[in-house]
Every structure is written in C-alpha cells, then in structure tokens.
C-alpha cells in the first residue's frame, strides 16, 4: 500500500571508463591519410592491408614535478657514488647483468694482483669521472699550455737560489711553473699554507728579503798560473769524485779512466766532455764553490746539441752526470729532467737496454747478475753499469715529480743484466745492484702515482711492505754503520735517505688524498694508522740524517734536501693538531722535538751547504708562523674559523676537475707585490 519514493538507492560501483583510442588507425597515421574509424577502415581495405589496421591506446601523460625530479636525481646520485666506491676500477655500465656472485668476486679482487704483474693500470684517460691531481688549469686559471720556466745558465743568481719543483724559490716569476703531481713538495706546502695563511705570508716576506739581497756570484782566477797547478787541481778533483761520487753512481771504469787521463792522448769531444764533468762534480766534493762553475763552462763546449748526434759511451756518461747530478746542484731540475730524457734515448740507440747475446731467461723475468772472473771491469760490464746508473739517476730525480715514467724500464723490451761483481769484495757493484732493486720498486710507485686514479691505502701498504722487505734484505755492509769502508758508507747513507724518503712520499700523499671532504673524526683506524706511520718514518729520517751526515759538500747537499722533505711532516702535524679542539699533546711534542733536532742539524751543516740553500730558512719561517698561531689562538686562521685539515681539499679538488700541485704558493696579486716584473 505504501511505496518508498526514496531517490537514493545502493548502486554497484561503475565500471572503469574504457581507454580512449586514437581516431586514426596506425596505418592511416603512417600514410597521413584520412581514416573513417572502421574496423578495418576503408583506407586499409582499399590498400589491402586490413590486417595492419589497428588503433593505439592513448597514454595518460603524467608530468613530474620539479621536487619529484630533484628527489629522484639525488637518489640516483647517491646510488651511483656507492657503486663507484664499491667498484672504483669498474665502470657502472660494466656491472649491468652480472649476478650477485660475480659482483662479490669483483669486490674480492685485491690491488695486489695488479702489483705482482707490475701493472697498476687505473681507468683510462677517457673516463670523465676519473680525477688526476695535476690540473690542466692552475689555481689562477693559467692554462697548461702557458707553463714555462727558465733555468738556463744566464739567469741571475737570485733565480738560481731555488726552483719550482723543489718549491724553494717561491715562484719568482709568474710562469716559472712545471707540471707536478701529488708526490711533489709543493703539494704538502700547499696544504700547510691553506691551513695557516700566516705561514704563507711569513715565507713570502722572507723570500722578499732574499730577492732584495741576491746571491753574488763568486769569481776566482782560473786560467792564471802554471800548467802544473792546473794539473794538481784536476787530479785532486778526480780523486774526490771517485771517493765521494763514484760509489753512488759507479758507471765509470776507474782504472781505465785514470789511465786515459794520465796518458793525455785522447782529444775526442766525448772524452773531454766526460773528463770535465768528472772534474766539475769532483770540485764540488772537494769543497770548492768556484771551480765547478769554471770547469762546467769547459764541459758545455763539448756537451752541446752535437753531443746527441755523436753517440758514444763517454758522451752518454757525461750527459748522465750533467742531468743526474750537476744540474740538480745548480737548481735546474726541469733542465736536468730533459737532459736525462735525451740520455735515455741515446742509451737505447747505443743498445744498452739489450744484452749482446741470447739468455735463457724469459722476457718477463728480472735480469740476474753474472759473475766476472777478472779484476778489471770489462767494457760489457761498463755498458751495463752505465745503463743501470742512468736508470737509478732518472728514478731518484723523479721521486717528487709525479710525472709519467715514459718507459724507463720495460721487461718486454729490455733485458740488460744486473751489474756483476768484479771481485768478491766489490762493494760498489753490490751497492749498485741494491740501488737497482730499490729503483725498480720506485719505478712502479712513480708509474702508479702518475695514473689518473688515486693510490689506495691497500696499494700503499703493499708498496711499503715491499720497500721494507728490500731494506731488510740488504747485506750488512749496506745496513750496518760499523766496520765498513768509506765508499760503501757513502752509498749506504744515500741509500737510507732515499729509502725513508720514498716511504714518506707514499704516506704523506695518502694524507693529502684523505683530506678530500673528510673530518678528523670520520677517519677510520686504518687511515689514522697511515698518519701515525708517516709521523714515525719522518722522525726516523730526521734522526738518521742527524746521526750519520758527513761533512762533505756533496753529502750535505743530499742530506739537507732529504732533511727538508722530512721536516714537512712534523710541520703539517703541528698545523693539524692546532686545528683540533682537543690537542694531542704527545703528537705535538714529538713533532716539535723532531723539528728542533732538524734545526740543530741544519746549523751544523751550514759550513758545507751552498750559499743558495734556503730550505732551513723556509722550515724556520713556517715553524715560527704555525707555532705562533698555535700558542696565541690555539687554532690556525683559516676561512670562517674552520681550519680543520680534513676539509681544505674541498676548495681545490672536485670530481671532474683536476688540481695543479705545481701552482701552489700564491696568487698573482701577491706575486706581483713581492716580485715585481723587471
């Protein structure tokens, strides 16, 4: 009787709207003709392609917001960084499609597997994500193509007081810079100056005083006097050469050299160039600071470009002494680098890189020594010793360059035998063989540092263990300071200095790498151990030099340079500790004690140092600045009060760009103020 007139009643959910289809079939769209929407349409029927007549479903377009895009991009970046940290030597694209076990196997691969084969190849130069630590653009935007330097002999004495590689002359002109890597002394000085700008200005003020009081060249009559006086001078210089220099680079046959000099019959340019270079370096060992200039001028008349056109063993040996020793003494390392490069090509052209007869060893094996049955060093053995002396000189000189090795030694193409023993007590040959083994390790270290990818902690530890194993395997005559003859003693001290220095280079370079975007509290145990090892090796190097240096100009020149290198670590340690809120008193005390010992050693060495040596003054200037900062404020004055060492790197190194360690000291405005262009 009653009816419910309610307009609302339960209804089932409506079916989803059908997807919209294109009004034109795909074939008509392709042909760009009108479609009637049939199934099939008239056009497809007419063209007899009814089986191709289909209609595409329209896709709904969802435009992503800017915030969504940024969020997704950030997620992608974070995941990419994680993959790059897990697989630093493998491109991300190469990981696609690999199973979990395959990825784990890649993670298990240790860098040591590359070191055992002598191949430490990192990513290729074409990888845009790889970071090299020597930039194509310098700090002030100066392109690499504009780099230049002038180390020629006509430069005034003030420029001969330093060089850009050793970071001693503070870049007295704006373009005197060369390509350097993270192993250079400029890299660690740059870190100190970034953390303590007052140290930078303190050293700059000192450099200004040096430039205002240039070193006056010493002159002395040379050609005056009778012939017998000249012969006595020459004989004295030759004696000093074979007593103090020959044990370091024993490439000459001493008996044959002295016989040729006594007869005086040889007048060929190669012999005269070698004779004058021996006298030049011997005069330095004798203590004279004048004779080497005058004999060098005579040697230059025989060691010009024509000497590269007349290949012989004597001219090659003269080039080795010039580029491997004397030009470094003159603070011309870039010129020395070029001369040794040319000498290496001459040596290869002379066939010194290959043995003259077939051997049973394979090409991948390191050559072994071969005993000599007679006392006199043979001509063949002289060729071998010349080759390996050149190899050692080039390796020693390149330790703080960070430059490619340029095929200095390749087992696939070179098979020269190691130096042989002329007698059972031939300590010179024993020393050279030990130096060759050391330089083979250093050659691989230099090759690794020159690559685009950074040296890892595990690689550095393996290299350091290999160096320690080499040193522990040395014969007692090259390790024990007691009961040894004078010549092996000289070689031993040079060897120890270089051994400790390359260990320092390994560790301090890692510290600079760790500085990239890191805070001190974020360092793990392994990284803190690297810092501790670096400080320990530095203290050992300073103690060793202070204990065993000898009063000779050649020895002091070598020892003072390695002492300067060792002082950089305690200086950096003081700056690092000064940037912390909680000072490590023990570390700070140890660093200061090492520096005080170094200052005392520099003071004792002063009478035998060159007048151009500024390394003690630079160390003292930096020490005064950083200790004054630490005592006065407790912190070094970096930007915005944030002077933490593990963070300065952010300004200088970002992924995708490079850092030029060679342009480290000051900007152009400061250079212009200190060193006005003349």
């Amino acid at each position: 009787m009653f009816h419910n007139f309610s307009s609302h009643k339960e209804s089932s959910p409506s079916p989803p709207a059908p997807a919209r289809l294109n009004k034109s079939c795909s074939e008509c769209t392709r042909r760009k003709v009108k479609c009637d929407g049939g199934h099939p349409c008239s056009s497809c029927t007419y063209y007899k392609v009814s089986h191709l007549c289909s209609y595409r479903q329209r896709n709904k377009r969802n435009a992503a917001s800017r915030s969504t895009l940024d969020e997704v991009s950030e997620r992608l970046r974070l995941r990419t960084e994680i993959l790059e940290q897990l697989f630093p030597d493998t491109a991300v694209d190469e990981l696609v499609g690999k199973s979990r076990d395959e990825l784990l196997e890649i993670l298990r691969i240790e860098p040591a597997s590359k070191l055992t084969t002598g191949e430490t190849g990192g990513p290729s130069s074409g990888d845009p994500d790889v970071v090299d630590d020597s930039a194509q653009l310098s700090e002030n935007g100066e392109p690499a193509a504009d780099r230049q330097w002038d180390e020629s002999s006509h430069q005034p004495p003030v420029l001969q007081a330093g060089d850009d590689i050793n970071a001693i002359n503070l870049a007295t002109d704006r373009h005197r810079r060369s390509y350097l890597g993270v192993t250079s002394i400029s890299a660690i000085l740059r870190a100190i100056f970034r953390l303590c700008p007052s140290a930078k200005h303190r050293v700059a003020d000192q450099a200004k005083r040096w430039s205002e009081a240039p070193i006056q060249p010493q002159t002395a009559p040379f050609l005056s006097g009778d012939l017998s006086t000249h012969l006595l001078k020459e004989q004295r210089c030759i004696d000093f050469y074979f007593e103090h220099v020959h044990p370091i680079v024993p490439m000459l046959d001493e008996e044959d050299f002295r016989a040729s000099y006594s007869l005086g019959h040889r007048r060929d340019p190669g012999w005269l160039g070698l004779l004058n270079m021996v006298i030049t370096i011997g005069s330095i060992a004798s203590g004279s600071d004048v004779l080497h200039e005058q004999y060098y001028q005579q040697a230059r008349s025989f060691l010009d470009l024509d000497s590269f056109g007349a290949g012989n063993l004597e001219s090659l040996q003269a080039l080795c002494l010039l580029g491997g020793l004397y030009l470094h003494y003159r603070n011309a390392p870039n010129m020395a680098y070029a001369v040794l490069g040319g000498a290496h090509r001459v040596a290869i052209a002379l066939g010194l890189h290959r043995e003259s007869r077939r051997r049973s060893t394979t090409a991948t094996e390191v050559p072994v020594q071969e005993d000599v049955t007679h006392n006199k060093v043979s001509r063949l053995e002289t060729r071998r010793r010349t080759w390996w002396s050149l190899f050692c000189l080039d390796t020693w000189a390149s330790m703080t360059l960070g430059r490619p090795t340029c095929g200095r030694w390749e087992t696939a193409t070179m098979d020269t035998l190691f130096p042989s023993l002329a007698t059972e007590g031939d300590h010179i040959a024993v020393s050279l063989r030990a130096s060759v083994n050391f330089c083979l390790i250093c050659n691989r270290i230099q090759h690794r540092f020159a690559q685009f990818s950074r040296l890892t902690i595990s690689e550095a530890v393996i290299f350091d263990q290999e160096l320690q194993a080499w040193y522990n395997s040395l014969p007692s005559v090259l390790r024990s300071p007691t009961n040894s003859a004078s010549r092996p003693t000289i070689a031993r001290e040079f060897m120890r200095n270089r051994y400790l220095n390359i260990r320092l280079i390994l560790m301090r370079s890692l510290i600079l790498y760790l500085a990239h975007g890191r805070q001190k509290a974020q360092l793990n145990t392994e990284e803190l151990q690297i810092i501790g090892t670096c400080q320990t090796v530095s203290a050992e190097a300073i103690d060793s030099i202070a204990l065993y240096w000898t009063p000779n100009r050649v020895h002091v020149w070598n020892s003072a340079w390695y002492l300067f290198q060792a002082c950089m670590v305690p200086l950096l340690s003081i700056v690092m500790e000064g940037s912390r809120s909680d000072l490590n008193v023990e570390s700070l005390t140890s660093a200061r004690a090492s520096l005080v010992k170094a200052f005392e050693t520099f003071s004792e060495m002063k009478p035998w140092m060159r007048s151009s040596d500024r390394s003690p003054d630079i160390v003292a200037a930096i020490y005064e600045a950083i200790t004054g900062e630490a005592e006065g404020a407790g912190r070094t004055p970096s930007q915005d009060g944030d002077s933490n060492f593990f963070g300065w790197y952010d300004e200088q190194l970002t992924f995708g760009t490079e850092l030029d360690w060679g342009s480290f000291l000051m900007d152009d405005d400061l250079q212009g103020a200190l060193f006005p262009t003349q």
Side-chain angles (χ1 to χ4, degrees), residues 427 430-431 474-485 488-489 492:
H427 299 308
V430 172
S431 170
L474 290 177
S476 59
V477 70
L478 296 178
R479 291 189 59 196
S480 175
T482 60
N483 300 326
S484 60
T489 299
R492 182 189 66 239

PDB file of all heavy atoms in Angstrom, residues 427 430-431 474-485 488-489 492:
ATOM      1  N   HIS A 427     132.228  -4.019  -3.359  1.00  0.00           N
ATOM      2  CA  HIS A 427     131.088  -3.400  -2.684  1.00  0.00           C
ATOM      3  C   HIS A 427     130.372  -2.399  -3.584  1.00  0.00           C
ATOM      4  O   HIS A 427     129.176  -2.143  -3.397  1.00  0.00           O
ATOM      5  CB  HIS A 427     131.559  -2.705  -1.406  1.00  0.00           C
ATOM      6  CG  HIS A 427     132.179  -3.644  -0.414  1.00  0.00           C
ATOM      7  ND1 HIS A 427     131.546  -4.793   0.013  1.00  0.00           N
ATOM      8  CD2 HIS A 427     133.376  -3.607   0.238  1.00  0.00           C
ATOM      9  CE1 HIS A 427     132.314  -5.417   0.884  1.00  0.00           C
ATOM     10  NE2 HIS A 427     133.433  -4.732   1.034  1.00  0.00           N
ATOM     11  N   VAL A 430     127.859  -4.356  -5.479  1.00  0.00           N
ATOM     12  CA  VAL A 430     126.798  -4.762  -4.543  1.00  0.00           C
ATOM     13  C   VAL A 430     125.864  -3.592  -4.279  1.00  0.00           C
ATOM     14  O   VAL A 430     124.628  -3.742  -4.258  1.00  0.00           O
ATOM     15  CB  VAL A 430     127.422  -5.278  -3.226  1.00  0.00           C
ATOM     16  CG1 VAL A 430     126.338  -5.521  -2.181  1.00  0.00           C
ATOM     17  CG2 VAL A 430     128.212  -6.546  -3.473  1.00  0.00           C
ATOM     18  N   SER A 431     126.438  -2.413  -4.088  1.00  0.00           N
ATOM     19  CA  SER A 431     125.626  -1.218  -3.840  1.00  0.00           C
ATOM     20  C   SER A 431     124.755  -0.872  -5.041  1.00  0.00           C
ATOM     21  O   SER A 431     123.570  -0.544  -4.898  1.00  0.00           O
ATOM     22  CB  SER A 431     126.542  -0.040  -3.495  1.00  0.00           C
ATOM     23  OG  SER A 431     125.828   1.166  -3.481  1.00  0.00           O
ATOM     24  N   LEU A 474     119.070  -6.208   2.611  1.00  0.00           N
ATOM     25  CA  LEU A 474     120.367  -5.662   2.217  1.00  0.00           C
ATOM     26  C   LEU A 474     121.496  -6.353   2.984  1.00  0.00           C
ATOM     27  O   LEU A 474     121.328  -6.726   4.149  1.00  0.00           O
ATOM     28  CB  LEU A 474     120.414  -4.154   2.494  1.00  0.00           C
ATOM     29  CG  LEU A 474     119.553  -3.251   1.616  1.00  0.00           C
ATOM     30  CD1 LEU A 474     119.675  -1.804   2.083  1.00  0.00           C
ATOM     31  CD2 LEU A 474     119.945  -3.365   0.155  1.00  0.00           C
ATOM     32  N   PRO A 475     122.645  -6.506   2.349  1.00  0.00           N
ATOM     33  CA  PRO A 475     123.797  -7.060   3.078  1.00  0.00           C
ATOM     34  C   PRO A 475     124.229  -6.125   4.198  1.00  0.00           C
ATOM     35  O   PRO A 475     123.949  -4.921   4.164  1.00  0.00           O
ATOM     36  CB  PRO A 475     124.868  -7.198   1.990  1.00  0.00           C
ATOM     37  CG  PRO A 475     124.451  -6.256   0.915  1.00  0.00           C
ATOM     38  CD  PRO A 475     122.956  -6.221   0.935  1.00  0.00           C
ATOM     39  N   SER A 476     124.927  -6.656   5.167  1.00  0.00           N
ATOM     40  CA  SER A 476     125.293  -5.882   6.353  1.00  0.00           C
ATOM     41  C   SER A 476     126.152  -4.673   6.013  1.00  0.00           C
ATOM     42  O   SER A 476     126.084  -3.641   6.688  1.00  0.00           O
ATOM     43  CB  SER A 476     126.025  -6.783   7.350  1.00  0.00           C
ATOM     44  OG  SER A 476     127.198  -7.328   6.756  1.00  0.00           O
ATOM     45  N   VAL A 477     126.959  -4.770   4.971  1.00  0.00           N
ATOM     46  CA  VAL A 477     127.828  -3.656   4.606  1.00  0.00           C
ATOM     47  C   VAL A 477     127.020  -2.434   4.187  1.00  0.00           C
ATOM     48  O   VAL A 477     127.503  -1.301   4.262  1.00  0.00           O
ATOM     49  CB  VAL A 477     128.799  -4.081   3.483  1.00  0.00           C
ATOM     50  CG1 VAL A 477     128.054  -4.291   2.161  1.00  0.00           C
ATOM     51  CG2 VAL A 477     129.910  -3.049   3.309  1.00  0.00           C
ATOM     52  N   LEU A 478     125.769  -2.642   3.727  1.00  0.00           N
ATOM     53  CA  LEU A 478     124.910  -1.537   3.314  1.00  0.00           C
ATOM     54  C   LEU A 478     123.875  -1.177   4.368  1.00  0.00           C
ATOM     55  O   LEU A 478     123.027  -0.311   4.130  1.00  0.00           O
ATOM     56  CB  LEU A 478     124.192  -1.895   2.002  1.00  0.00           C
ATOM     57  CG  LEU A 478     125.089  -2.106   0.793  1.00  0.00           C
ATOM     58  CD1 LEU A 478     124.262  -2.502  -0.416  1.00  0.00           C
ATOM     59  CD2 LEU A 478     125.908  -0.847   0.494  1.00  0.00           C
ATOM     60  N   ARG A 479     123.941  -1.827   5.523  1.00  0.00           N
ATOM     61  CA  ARG A 479     122.993  -1.519   6.595  1.00  0.00           C
ATOM     62  C   ARG A 479     123.686  -1.124   7.889  1.00  0.00           C
ATOM     63  O   ARG A 479     123.275  -0.205   8.567  1.00  0.00           O
ATOM     64  CB  ARG A 479     122.086  -2.731   6.859  1.00  0.00           C
ATOM     65  CG  ARG A 479     121.110  -3.041   5.737  1.00  0.00           C
ATOM     66  CD  ARG A 479     120.123  -4.104   6.201  1.00  0.00           C
ATOM     67  NE  ARG A 479     119.384  -3.644   7.374  1.00  0.00           N
ATOM     68  CZ  ARG A 479     118.697  -4.464   8.172  1.00  0.00           C
ATOM     69  NH1 ARG A 479     118.681  -5.760   7.935  1.00  0.00           N
ATOM     70  NH2 ARG A 479     118.040  -3.977   9.192  1.00  0.00           N
ATOM     71  N   SER A 480     124.750  -1.817   8.213  1.00  0.00           N
ATOM     72  CA  SER A 480     125.414  -1.562   9.491  1.00  0.00           C
ATOM     73  C   SER A 480     126.396  -0.403   9.352  1.00  0.00           C
ATOM     74  O   SER A 480     127.219  -0.386   8.427  1.00  0.00           O
ATOM     75  CB  SER A 480     126.143  -2.820   9.963  1.00  0.00           C
ATOM     76  OG  SER A 480     126.893  -2.546  11.137  1.00  0.00           O
ATOM     77  N   PRO A 481     126.351   0.577  10.242  1.00  0.00           N
ATOM     78  CA  PRO A 481     127.281   1.717  10.152  1.00  0.00           C
ATOM     79  C   PRO A 481     128.661   1.417  10.710  1.00  0.00           C
ATOM     80  O   PRO A 481     129.537   2.282  10.675  1.00  0.00           O
ATOM     81  CB  PRO A 481     126.577   2.788  10.997  1.00  0.00           C
ATOM     82  CG  PRO A 481     125.792   2.012  11.999  1.00  0.00           C
ATOM     83  CD  PRO A 481     125.363   0.741  11.306  1.00  0.00           C
ATOM     84  N   THR A 482     128.872   0.221  11.225  1.00  0.00           N
ATOM     85  CA  THR A 482     130.159  -0.111  11.846  1.00  0.00           C
ATOM     86  C   THR A 482     130.989  -0.998  10.930  1.00  0.00           C
ATOM     87  O   THR A 482     130.460  -1.788  10.142  1.00  0.00           O
ATOM     88  CB  THR A 482     129.934  -0.840  13.181  1.00  0.00           C
ATOM     89  OG1 THR A 482     129.192  -2.044  12.945  1.00  0.00           O
ATOM     90  CG2 THR A 482     129.156   0.055  14.142  1.00  0.00           C
ATOM     91  N   ASN A 483     132.292  -0.849  11.029  1.00  0.00           N
ATOM     92  CA  ASN A 483     133.260  -1.719  10.347  1.00  0.00           C
ATOM     93  C   ASN A 483     133.032  -1.784   8.838  1.00  0.00           C
ATOM     94  O   ASN A 483     132.987  -2.848   8.244  1.00  0.00           O
ATOM     95  CB  ASN A 483     133.209  -3.138  10.926  1.00  0.00           C
ATOM     96  CG  ASN A 483     133.548  -3.161  12.404  1.00  0.00           C
ATOM     97  OD1 ASN A 483     134.366  -2.379  12.873  1.00  0.00           O
ATOM     98  ND2 ASN A 483     132.898  -4.055  13.142  1.00  0.00           N
ATOM     99  N   SER A 484     132.865  -0.647   8.212  1.00  0.00           N
ATOM    100  CA  SER A 484     132.692  -0.618   6.758  1.00  0.00           C
ATOM    101  C   SER A 484     133.639   0.416   6.172  1.00  0.00           C
ATOM    102  O   SER A 484     133.961   1.422   6.804  1.00  0.00           O
ATOM    103  CB  SER A 484     131.251  -0.281   6.384  1.00  0.00           C
ATOM    104  OG  SER A 484     130.886   0.985   6.890  1.00  0.00           O
ATOM    105  N   ALA A 485     134.053   0.165   4.936  1.00  0.00           N
ATOM    106  CA  ALA A 485     134.966   1.080   4.258  1.00  0.00           C
ATOM    107  C   ALA A 485     134.248   2.382   3.919  1.00  0.00           C
ATOM    108  O   ALA A 485     133.026   2.488   3.990  1.00  0.00           O
ATOM    109  CB  ALA A 485     135.506   0.416   2.996  1.00  0.00           C
ATOM    110  N   PRO A 488     131.571   2.206   0.620  1.00  0.00           N
ATOM    111  CA  PRO A 488     130.252   1.642   0.929  1.00  0.00           C
ATOM    112  C   PRO A 488     129.470   2.487   1.936  1.00  0.00           C
ATOM    113  O   PRO A 488     128.237   2.528   1.890  1.00  0.00           O
ATOM    114  CB  PRO A 488     130.587   0.265   1.512  1.00  0.00           C
ATOM    115  CG  PRO A 488     131.924  -0.082   0.960  1.00  0.00           C
ATOM    116  CD  PRO A 488     132.648   1.222   0.855  1.00  0.00           C
ATOM    117  N   THR A 489     130.163   3.184   2.826  1.00  0.00           N
ATOM    118  CA  THR A 489     129.480   4.049   3.789  1.00  0.00           C
ATOM    119  C   THR A 489     128.757   5.177   3.082  1.00  0.00           C
ATOM    120  O   THR A 489     127.613   5.521   3.413  1.00  0.00           O
ATOM    121  CB  THR A 489     130.488   4.617   4.804  1.00  0.00           C
ATOM    122  OG1 THR A 489     131.091   3.539   5.524  1.00  0.00           O
ATOM    123  CG2 THR A 489     129.809   5.566   5.770  1.00  0.00           C
ATOM    124  N   ARG A 492     125.764   3.779   1.409  1.00  0.00           N
ATOM    125  CA  ARG A 492     124.763   3.369   2.395  1.00  0.00           C
ATOM    126  C   ARG A 492     123.931   4.552   2.872  1.00  0.00           C
ATOM    127  O   ARG A 492     122.703   4.459   2.981  1.00  0.00           O
ATOM    128  CB  ARG A 492     125.456   2.704   3.587  1.00  0.00           C
ATOM    129  CG  ARG A 492     124.491   2.206   4.660  1.00  0.00           C
ATOM    130  CD  ARG A 492     125.200   1.750   5.910  1.00  0.00           C
ATOM    131  NE  ARG A 492     125.863   2.837   6.599  1.00  0.00           N
ATOM    132  CZ  ARG A 492     127.165   2.882   6.854  1.00  0.00           C
ATOM    133  NH1 ARG A 492     127.948   1.884   6.481  1.00  0.00           N
ATOM    134  NH2 ARG A 492     127.693   3.906   7.491  1.00  0.00           N
TER     135      ARG A 492
END
